[in-house]
Amino acid sequence: MHLLLRRTSLRYILNHMVQYTNAHLDASFAALADVTRRGVLEQLGREEASITDLAAKFDMTLTGMKKHVGVLEHAGLITTQKIGRVRTCKIGPRRLEEAEAWIAKFQQLWAARFDELDKIVEELNRKEKIDGRKKRK
Amino acid sequence: MHLLLRRTSLRYILNHMVQYTNAHLDASFAALADVTRRGVLEQLGREEASITDLAAKFDMTLTGMKKHVGVLEHAGLITTQKIGRVRTCKIGPRRLEEAEAWIAKFQQLWAARFDELDKIVEELNRKEKIDGRKKRK
């Protein structure tokens, strides 16, 4: 393959990978931005449950719970399976690794940024001490 | 204070604390559910910037960027300060600890749940082997 073409393809693939991750991160974080959906995940982390069970547990209409389950399923955080008239929900397959990794990276940036500011403050304090000593002389 | 009254107060305070955490988690995760807002946080983690800088960097209108900055500020993930005509944005004060802790707890539940399923599968395999041996005899 021509080198330029290969580079273009590689960039195309990488770009798609980044877009894929971004879309997943958007969906994961959006799914977590609701107290009921977080509760459903915790509940399914303990044991699988039907949508009817979940609606009763979270004191919600079946229609309301179906919407929440849909958001969680779309984000890949739960799977559902209909057997007869009952739709059972389980956690998985996604484990929020990407979301966890993003937050960890941000925490590192945060710590580094504030270490930097600490150094500036320390430097200013040191200079102030030296200036104070000079004035006293 | 009467014991019953004290208990009621304690429950009232705890309930408020939980609601406060839940509202913060909702706001934090909602703020993270957008690729531009995550980009702005990463950018501000490196250095502070004005809304105009951010709009240019993310190829966005000033109005669009103001909305994203508003969401991040509401979630406590950034602070802004207006000096003259320029509004400067910095990261802080919130560090996403609650969001990180929630995800970590979910990962533990996930791992425990799948360990449990692994054990069931192992047990089934073991029984199958024993049955297989019995049949061969």
Side-chain angles (χ1 to χ4, degrees), chain B residues 22-134:
Chain B
N22 279 336
H24 270 298
L25 275 176
D26 284 5
S28 298
F29 284 130
L32 296 180
D34 181 278
V35 65
T36 305
R37 289 199 291 269
R38 290 194 301 276
V40 166
L41 282 177
E42 287 173 338
Q43 183 61 27
L44 297 179
R46 285 183 215 104
E47 54 181 348
E48 56 183 60
S50 71
I51 294 184
T52 315
D53 296 339
L54 292 171
K57 187 147 192 92
F58 290 89
D59 200 17
M60 190 169 268
T61 63
L62 210 59
T63 315
M65 186 47 78
K66 269 182 192 162
K67 275 185 198 161
H68 284 312
V69 164
V71 173
L72 290 169
E73 195 173 16
H74 168 71
L77 297 173
I78 68 167
T79 54
T80 71
Q81 196 186 8
K82 198 165 183 175
I83 301 169
R85 290 172 60 86
V86 178
R87 184 170 290 279
T88 304
C89 311
K90 297 178 198 186
I91 51 163
R94 298 185 73 84
R95 287 195 60 173
L96 292 173
E97 283 107 337
E98 286 165 338
E100 196 178 31
W102 192 91
I103 289 180
K105 196 176 68 179
F106 176 70
Q107 307 277 54
Q108 277 175 7
L109 270 176
W110 209 97
R113 184 94 187 103
F114 283 78
D115 279 355
E116 224 175 85
L117 293 177
D118 278 349
K119 270 183 205 153
I120 293 170
V121 172
E122 252 171 53
E123 183 64 11
L124 286 173
N125 283 339
R126 210 177 54 83
K127 277 188 183 159
E128 217 165 65
K129 265 190 194 165
I130 293 171
D131 286 354
R133 259 182 248 145
K134 275 185 192 158

Side-chain angles (χ1 to χ4, degrees), chain A residues 42-66:
Chain A
E42 288 173 338
Q43 184 60 27
L44 297 179
R46 284 182 217 105
E47 55 181 346
E48 57 182 60
S50 71
I51 295 184
T52 314
D53 296 339
L54 291 172
K57 186 144 193 99
F58 289 89
D59 199 16
M60 190 169 271
T61 63
L62 211 59
T63 314
M65 185 48 79
K66 269 182 192 162

